[in-house]
């Protein structure tokens, strides 16, 4: 996703990106509204929730407004894909899902994007993704997700390199972690946090930081979504 000021060339696996909504039963999850956060004491399912998100077809819509008053509408669709082999990413067959997004600014389409993400289950591991015909993200390091976690905990998930324009020169660095953040006494925000550091960044502000969060209950059912994206010293908060 990218806007006039935001240059996101690789969709985080908005798992992974994630990025879904209404994942409990598919369909449109609606925008999650801000709440007065309350720290939960129960444990919440981490790996099972993310696995459910990538194995079902879902759609999510959220909106944001920038400091200048411009309005943004984001629509994201996840579709479970077939098992397939992509030797650029892994020598054996992997599971896939497709992530498509459309971003509108003041009612006019500003960008569209699609990615094919490759992963394996039990444990859930991401291996890479293909964005268009020329851009590939290859995972270099993986960390298994915990089965359960409490609010306030976080950990690494995966990291890798974004190769652009069919070139192995100057790949961007992508680091992804997970975290559980406070929401209510019975729900929490399960977040996928993605940092992309350009190889040829002219300043530290060129690094993009994104948090894609899903409101879940103790069963892992998703009832809301929010996303914060920061780059060039500006943040968009999608709700």
């Amino acid at each position: 996703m990218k806007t006039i000021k935001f240059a996101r060339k690789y969709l985080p696996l908005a798992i992974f990106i994630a990025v879904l909504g209404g994942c409990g039963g598919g369909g449109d999850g609606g925008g999650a509204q801000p709440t007065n956060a309350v720290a939960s004491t129960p444990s919440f399912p981490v790996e099972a929730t993310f696995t459910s998100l990538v194995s079902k077809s879902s759609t999510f819509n959220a909106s944001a407004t920038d400091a200048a008053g411009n309005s943004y509408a984001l629509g994201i669709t996840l579709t479970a894909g077939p098992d397939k082999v992509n030797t650029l990413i892994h020598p054996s067959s992997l599971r896939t899902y497709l992530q498509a997004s459309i971003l509108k600014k003041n009612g006019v389409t500003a960008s569209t994007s699609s990615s094919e993400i490759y992963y394996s289950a039990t444990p859930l591991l991401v291996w890479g993704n293909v964005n268009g015909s020329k851009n590939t993200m290859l995972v270099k390091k993986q960390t298994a997700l915990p089965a359960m976690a409490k609010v306030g905990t976080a950990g690494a998930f995966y990291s890798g390199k974004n190769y652009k324009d069919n070139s192995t020169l100057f790949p961007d660095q992508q680091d992804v972690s997970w975290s559980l953040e406070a929401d209510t006494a019975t729900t929490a925000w399960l977040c996928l946090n993605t940092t992309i550091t350009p190889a040829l960044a002219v300043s530290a502000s060129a690094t993009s930081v994104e948090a894609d969060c899903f409101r879940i209950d103790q069963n892992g059912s998703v009832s809301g979504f929010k996303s914060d994206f920061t780059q060039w010293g500006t943040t968009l908060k999608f709700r």
Side-chain angles (χ1 to χ4, degrees):
M1 179 183 82
K2 61 182 179 180
T3 71
I4 300 302
K5 295 184 68 176
F6 292 78
R8 187 196 307 183
K9 291 188 177 180
Y10 296 87
L11 286 172
L13 306 184
I15 23 175
F16 307 357
I17 187 170
V19 52
L20 328 275
C23 300
D28 188 348
Q33 299 302 312
T35 61
N36 294 321
V38 176
S40 301
T41 56
S43 294
F44 294 86
V46 176
E47 182 181 30
T49 300
F50 281 143
T51 299
S52 177
L53 291 175
V54 300
S55 61
K56 297 179 180 179
S57 297
S58 308
T59 299
F60 186 77
N61 297 288
S63 59
T65 303
D66 65 19
N70 296 299
S71 62
Y72 298 85
L74 174 66
I76 299 173
T77 299
L78 272 186
T79 305
D83 292 0
K84 62 170 57 178
V85 175
N86 184 324
T87 54
L88 288 176
I89 293 175
H90 195 274
S92 303
S93 179
L94 292 171
R95 299 184 181 186
T96 67
Y97 73 90
L98 305 177
Q99 180 180 305
S101 71
I102 180 169
L103 179 70
K104 293 184 178 181
K105 179 180 179 181
N106 298 325
V108 179
T109 298
S111 69
T112 60
S113 181
S114 62
S115 291
E116 183 175 54
I117 295 91
Y118 291 76
Y119 72 98
S120 56
T122 317
L124 177 63
L125 298 173
V126 177
W127 295 88
N129 73 68
V130 177
N131 185 353
S133 61
K134 297 183 178 181
N135 302 320
T136 303
M137 185 274 181
L138 300 180
V139 172
K140 302 296 185 180
K141 182 178 181 180
Q142 301 161 320
T143 303
L145 294 167
M148 306 290 289
K150 291 181 178 293
V151 166
T153 57
F157 189 12
Y158 64 90
S159 60
K161 299 291 186 180
N162 293 332
Y163 297 95
K164 303 182 291 291
D165 299 324
N166 290 329
S167 173
T168 57
L169 298 176
F170 310 116
D172 297 342
Q173 176 68 29
Q174 179 169 318
D175 298 290
V176 181
S177 64
W178 65 271
S179 61
L180 264 176
E181 301 177 4
D183 185 40
T184 72
T186 58
T187 61
W189 289 107
L190 178 57
C191 300
L192 194 76
N193 309 298
T194 303
T195 300
I196 297 179
T197 305
L200 301 177
V202 295
S203 71
S205 63
T207 295
S208 66
V209 179
E210 179 173 354
D212 297 306
C213 302
F214 306 89
R215 180 189 283 127
I216 64 171
D217 61 17
Q218 289 177 261
N219 296 317
S221 297
V222 176
S223 60
F225 174 84
K226 64 179 182 178
S227 179
D228 295 343
F229 183 76
T230 300
Q231 191 178 40
W232 304 115
T234 304
T235 298
L236 277 179
K237 294 181 178 291
F238 287 90
R239 299 293 186 266

